[in-house]
mmCIF file with all atom_site columns, all heavy atoms in Angstrom:
data_model
loop_
_atom_site.group_PDB
_atom_site.id
_atom_site.type_symbol
_atom_site.label_atom_id
_atom_site.label_alt_id
_atom_site.label_comp_id
_atom_site.label_asym_id
_atom_site.label_entity_id
_atom_site.label_seq_id
_atom_site.pdbx_PDB_ins_code
_atom_site.Cartn_x
_atom_site.Cartn_y
_atom_site.Cartn_z
_atom_site.occupancy
_atom_site.B_iso_or_equiv
_atom_site.pdbx_formal_charge
_atom_site.auth_seq_id
_atom_site.auth_comp_id
_atom_site.auth_asym_id
_atom_site.auth_atom_id
_atom_site.pdbx_PDB_model_num
ATOM 1  N N   . GLY A 1 76 ? 126.923 44.487 85.566  1.00 0.00 ? 76 GLY A N   1
ATOM 2  C CA  . GLY A 1 76 ? 126.244 43.280 85.971  1.00 0.00 ? 76 GLY A CA  1
ATOM 3  C C   . GLY A 1 76 ? 126.174 43.147 87.484  1.00 0.00 ? 76 GLY A C   1
ATOM 4  O O   . GLY A 1 76 ? 126.323 42.098 87.974  1.00 0.00 ? 76 GLY A O   1
ATOM 5  N N   . ASN A 1 77 ? 125.882 44.205 88.176  1.00 0.00 ? 77 ASN A N   1
ATOM 6  C CA  . ASN A 1 77 ? 125.836 44.163 89.581  1.00 0.00 ? 77 ASN A CA  1
ATOM 7  C C   . ASN A 1 77 ? 124.655 43.213 89.924  1.00 0.00 ? 77 ASN A C   1
ATOM 8  O O   . ASN A 1 77 ? 123.568 43.272 89.244  1.00 0.00 ? 77 ASN A O   1
ATOM 9  C CB  . ASN A 1 77 ? 125.554 45.514 90.216  1.00 0.00 ? 77 ASN A CB  1
ATOM 10 C CG  . ASN A 1 77 ? 125.230 45.480 91.659  1.00 0.00 ? 77 ASN A CG  1
ATOM 11 O OD1 . ASN A 1 77 ? 126.215 45.339 92.470  1.00 0.00 ? 77 ASN A OD1 1
ATOM 12 N ND2 . ASN A 1 77 ? 123.975 45.646 92.038  1.00 0.00 ? 77 ASN A ND2 1
ATOM 13 N N   . SER A 1 78 ? 124.791 42.470 90.917  1.00 0.00 ? 78 SER A N   1
ATOM 14 C CA  . SER A 1 78 ? 123.704 41.492 91.299  1.00 0.00 ? 78 SER A CA  1
ATOM 15 C C   . SER A 1 78 ? 123.702 41.229 92.731  1.00 0.00 ? 78 SER A C   1
ATOM 16 O O   . SER A 1 78 ? 124.721 41.404 93.404  1.00 0.00 ? 78 SER A O   1
ATOM 17 C CB  . SER A 1 78 ? 123.720 40.254 90.421  1.00 0.00 ? 78 SER A CB  1
ATOM 18 O OG  . SER A 1 78 ? 124.859 39.456 90.879  1.00 0.00 ? 78 SER A OG  1
ATOM 19 N N   . CYS A 1 79 ? 122.592 40.810 93.205  1.00 0.00 ? 79 CYS A N   1
ATOM 20 C CA  . CYS A 1 79 ? 122.469 40.296 94.583  1.00 0.00 ? 79 CYS A CA  1
ATOM 21 C C   . CYS A 1 79 ? 122.043 38.852 94.506  1.00 0.00 ? 79 CYS A C   1
ATOM 22 O O   . CYS A 1 79 ? 120.926 38.567 94.037  1.00 0.00 ? 79 CYS A O   1
ATOM 23 C CB  . CYS A 1 79 ? 121.339 41.157 95.246  1.00 0.00 ? 79 CYS A CB  1
ATOM 24 S SG  . CYS A 1 79 ? 120.968 40.579 96.899  1.00 0.00 ? 79 CYS A SG  1
ATOM 25 N N   . SER A 1 80 ? 122.945 38.029 94.944  1.00 0.00 ? 80 SER A N   1
ATOM 26 C CA  . SER A 1 80 ? 122.567 36.580 94.769  1.00 0.00 ? 80 SER A CA  1
ATOM 27 C C   . SER A 1 80 ? 121.629 36.112 95.900  1.00 0.00 ? 80 SER A C   1
ATOM 28 O O   . SER A 1 80 ? 121.135 35.071 95.824  1.00 0.00 ? 80 SER A O   1
ATOM 29 C CB  . SER A 1 80 ? 123.918 35.753 94.853  1.00 0.00 ? 80 SER A CB  1
ATOM 30 O OG  . SER A 1 80 ? 124.591 36.045 95.932  1.00 0.00 ? 80 SER A OG  1
ATOM 31 N N   . ALA A 1 81 ? 121.551 36.929 96.984  1.00 0.00 ? 81 ALA A N   1
ATOM 32 C CA  . ALA A 1 81 ? 120.583 36.598 98.032  1.00 0.00 ? 81 ALA A CA  1
ATOM 33 C C   . ALA A 1 81 ? 119.389 37.407 97.780  1.00 0.00 ? 81 ALA A C   1
ATOM 34 O O   . ALA A 1 81 ? 118.898 37.439 96.697  1.00 0.00 ? 81 ALA A O   1
ATOM 35 C CB  . ALA A 1 81 ? 121.257 36.947 99.353  1.00 0.00 ? 81 ALA A CB  1
ATOM 36 N N   . GLN A 1 82 ? 118.826 37.964 98.802  1.00 0.00 ? 82 GLN A N   1
ATOM 37 C CA  . GLN A 1 82 ? 117.500 38.633 98.715  1.00 0.00 ? 82 GLN A CA  1
ATOM 38 C C   . GLN A 1 82 ? 117.753 40.158 98.708  1.00 0.00 ? 82 GLN A C   1
ATOM 39 O O   . GLN A 1 82 ? 118.240 40.711 99.564  1.00 0.00 ? 82 GLN A O   1
ATOM 40 C CB  . GLN A 1 82 ? 116.626 38.254 99.846  1.00 0.00 ? 82 GLN A CB  1
ATOM 41 C CG  . GLN A 1 82 ? 115.241 38.868 99.898  1.00 0.00 ? 82 GLN A CG  1
ATOM 42 C CD  . GLN A 1 82 ? 114.459 38.534 98.719  1.00 0.00 ? 82 GLN A CD  1
ATOM 43 O OE1 . GLN A 1 82 ? 114.082 37.351 98.478  1.00 0.00 ? 82 GLN A OE1 1
ATOM 44 N NE2 . GLN A 1 82 ? 114.053 39.520 97.861  1.00 0.00 ? 82 GLN A NE2 1
ATOM 45 N N   . SER A 1 83 ? 117.205 40.824 97.602  1.00 0.00 ? 83 SER A N   1
ATOM 46 C CA  . SER A 1 83 ? 117.284 42.262 97.580  1.00 0.00 ? 83 SER A CA  1
ATOM 47 C C   . SER A 1 83 ? 115.992 42.851 98.132  1.00 0.00 ? 83 SER A C   1
ATOM 48 O O   . SER A 1 83 ? 114.912 42.375 97.835  1.00 0.00 ? 83 SER A O   1
ATOM 49 C CB  . SER A 1 83 ? 117.510 42.780 96.163  1.00 0.00 ? 83 SER A CB  1
ATOM 50 O OG  . SER A 1 83 ? 116.596 42.117 95.278  1.00 0.00 ? 83 SER A OG  1
ATOM 51 N N   . VAL A 1 84 ? 116.147 43.838 98.967  1.00 0.00 ? 84 VAL A N   1
ATOM 52 C CA  . VAL A 1 84 ? 114.964 44.422 99.674  1.00 0.00 ? 84 VAL A CA  1
ATOM 53 C C   . VAL A 1 84 ? 115.070 45.918 99.885  1.00 0.00 ? 84 VAL A C   1
ATOM 54 O O   . VAL A 1 84 ? 116.237 46.434 99.804  1.00 0.00 ? 84 VAL A O   1
ATOM 55 C CB  . VAL A 1 84 ? 114.750 43.790 101.068 1.00 0.00 ? 84 VAL A CB  1
ATOM 56 C CG1 . VAL A 1 84 ? 114.302 42.310 101.042 1.00 0.00 ? 84 VAL A CG1 1
ATOM 57 C CG2 . VAL A 1 84 ? 116.075 43.874 101.848 1.00 0.00 ? 84 VAL A CG2 1
ATOM 58 N N   . CYS A 1 85 ? 113.942 46.553 100.045 1.00 0.00 ? 85 CYS A N   1
ATOM 59 C CA  . CYS A 1 85 ? 113.911 47.903 100.516 1.00 0.00 ? 85 CYS A CA  1
ATOM 60 C C   . CYS A 1 85 ? 113.568 47.872 101.980 1.00 0.00 ? 85 CYS A C   1
ATOM 61 O O   . CYS A 1 85 ? 112.523 47.234 102.300 1.00 0.00 ? 85 CYS A O   1
ATOM 62 C CB  . CYS A 1 85 ? 112.878 48.735 99.758  1.00 0.00 ? 85 CYS A CB  1
ATOM 63 S SG  . CYS A 1 85 ? 113.344 49.232 98.157  1.00 0.00 ? 85 CYS A SG  1
ATOM 64 N N   . CYS A 1 86 ? 114.282 48.519 102.868 1.00 0.00 ? 86 CYS A N   1
ATOM 65 C CA  . CYS A 1 86 ? 113.944 48.465 104.279 1.00 0.00 ? 86 CYS A CA  1
ATOM 66 C C   . CYS A 1 86 ? 113.750 49.899 104.803 1.00 0.00 ? 86 CYS A C   1
ATOM 67 O O   . CYS A 1 86 ? 114.464 50.802 104.427 1.00 0.00 ? 86 CYS A O   1
ATOM 68 C CB  . CYS A 1 86 ? 115.113 47.821 105.044 1.00 0.00 ? 86 CYS A CB  1
ATOM 69 S SG  . CYS A 1 86 ? 115.457 46.166 104.482 1.00 0.00 ? 86 CYS A SG  1
ATOM 70 N N   . SER A 1 87 ? 112.751 50.018 105.673 1.00 0.00 ? 87 SER A N   1
ATOM 71 C CA  . SER A 1 87 ? 112.471 51.373 106.137 1.00 0.00 ? 87 SER A CA  1
ATOM 72 C C   . SER A 1 87 ? 113.286 51.764 107.299 1.00 0.00 ? 87 SER A C   1
ATOM 73 O O   . SER A 1 87 ? 113.480 52.897 107.551 1.00 0.00 ? 87 SER A O   1
ATOM 74 C CB  . SER A 1 87 ? 110.942 51.407 106.625 1.00 0.00 ? 87 SER A CB  1
ATOM 75 O OG  . SER A 1 87 ? 110.803 50.471 107.612 1.00 0.00 ? 87 SER A OG  1
#
Side-chain angles (χ1 to χ4, degrees):
N77 176 76
S78 66
C79 174
S80 57
Q82 179 65 59
S83 50
V84 289
C85 280
C86 300
S87 61

